Amino acid sequence: MTRPAPEDPRAARTRARLRAALLQECAERPLAEVGVAALVRRAGVGRATFYVHYDGLEALAVDACADVVREAVEALHAWRGRPDPVHAPPALLEFFAGLAPHAGLYRALLTPGGGGPLGHVLHRDLRARSLAERERAGAADAPLVASAVAAAFAGVLADWLHGLLEATPEEVAHQVWQLLVALHRSR
């Protein structure tokens, strides 16, 4: 197996500064109102440096939000044994409770129904993880159920963030969990 080359520490630091600056900017204004000039000023890097790392603000925003995708995937798979069909695991409750600080940015990148650039990343990563776990367990129709789980979660998350579903973070965590458990049991 070939391992990826280690990342240049300077490049990693620059991208981290740009991600942090974007999150700070988006805490003050919507993504659509953030400009590259203000962003690079806040990050303390040059405009050309920004474009070395990202082809635009949306690419940076998706990268900055990649942690939320990883957290979602981990939260949905943080249980062992037989899942409680009614109560979401604590990691999923924590995930939904922790979305508020950057909800506006997530809404900008995750359209209702689960689309948008962040929705595509979430669907891809969640489907891959679900597929691997279902195949490992020898489950029937692993690709079908993995696709359904990814689509359902991304759609519910997006609709909830956009206010199309009225529920507290705790309520939506339990509701989406019950839906996903039902999907797993359907095949």
Side-chain angles (χ1 to χ4, degrees), residues 79 82-89 173-183 185:
W79 55 274
R82 192 168 179 88
D84 179 335
V86 176
H87 300 97
H174 290 307
Q175 291 167 353
V176 77
W177 179 251
Q178 292 164 16
L179 176 63
L180 298 179
V181 168
L183 282 171
R185 287 184 173 167

Side-chain angles (χ1 to χ4, degrees), residues 126-148:
L126 183 52
R127 185 184 186 284
R129 177 74 177 267
S130 295
L131 180 61
E133 290 197 3
R134 291 198 56 83
E135 286 176 339
R136 191 172 32 255
D141 294 328
L144 175 69
V145 174
S147 290

Side-chain angles (χ1 to χ4, degrees), residues 4-95:
E7 184 176 27
D8 176 356
R10 292 171 299 177
R13 282 192 301 273
T14 298
R15 281 194 295 282
R17 288 169 56 186
L18 287 165
R19 287 189 301 265
L22 179 80
L23 293 174
Q24 292 167 352
E25 286 288 321
C26 288
E28 298 170 6
R29 67 188 53 76
L31 178 62
E33 295 177 14
V34 173
V36 173
L39 177 76
V40 296
R41 226 181 354 267
R42 187 181 286 254
V45 302
R47 190 178 189 94
T49 300
F50 169 81
Y51 286 108
V52 165
H53 296 283
Y54 299 101
D55 63 4
L57 285 172
E58 185 177 278
L60 169 58
V62 171
D63 186 34
C65 295
D67 285 343
V68 78
V69 170
R70 284 188 288 279
E71 289 169 14
V73 171
E74 290 305 315
L76 286 171
H77 294 91
W79 55 274
R80 294 291 170 248
R82 192 168 179 88
D84 179 335
V86 176
H87 300 97
L92 190 58
L93 293 166
E94 291 169 19
F95 168 77

